[in-house]
Amino acid sequence: SPPLRQVLPRTHKAGPVTHVARDDDDACIRYIADPARVAAATRGAGGAAPVTLELDAGMLSLHDPMLLHGSERNRSARRRAGVALTYMPAECHFNRHVPTAGAVEGGIKLDFSTRPLLVVEGGNQHPKNALVRSVVRG
């Protein structure tokens, strides 16, 4: 059976949740949402119980990045991937030199130096943006 995945409804409205190091040799993710903050966010969301998502191979969960979510360890031989998409107005500047919250907290460091920006509609309106690509439709 596929790994169990869960979300905590409405927790995206509680704001950022501090992450803490997970001291577990079996952990595939080293930084997790602070359990005390998860409990507080859940209370702030009206005590919402976790909702289980049943996803078959090839399916995805699309949700607000602030929504508290998680899953059991992937015990299959097949790869599981996480993808984060962030939309911003075309007039915004994507500053590649600002460290992510995870990097600041000592977690995952992401290198945005060569990551392209994909224009979904219209065109880039900020002269400082680099590596801008247009999405081809059709």
Side-chain angles (χ1 to χ4, degrees), residues 30-119:
R30 293 284 173 210
Y31 280 81
I32 61 170
D34 181 346
R37 294 294 309 265
V38 170
T42 302
R43 284 191 304 275
V51 172
T52 299
L53 306 176
E54 294 186 27
L55 303 177
D56 293 324
M59 295 176 76
L60 65 90
S61 166
L62 184 63
H63 53 264
D64 187 287
M66 299 299 286
L67 183 73
L68 293 174
H69 62 281
S71 67
E72 295 176 332
R73 182 181 193 86
N74 181 15
R75 299 190 187 285
S76 77
R78 300 194 61 175
R79 183 177 90 106
R80 182 194 307 166
V83 177
L85 303 174
T86 303
Y87 288 90
M88 66 182 196
E91 61 271 6
C92 288
H93 175 230
F94 181 65
N95 187 341
R96 298 170 185 279
H97 306 294
V98 174
T100 64
V104 169
E105 292 180 10
I108 298 171
K109 288 187 177 185
L110 301 174
D111 179 7
F112 294 118
S113 64
T114 61
R115 184 165 297 172
L117 298 178
L118 302 176
V119 177

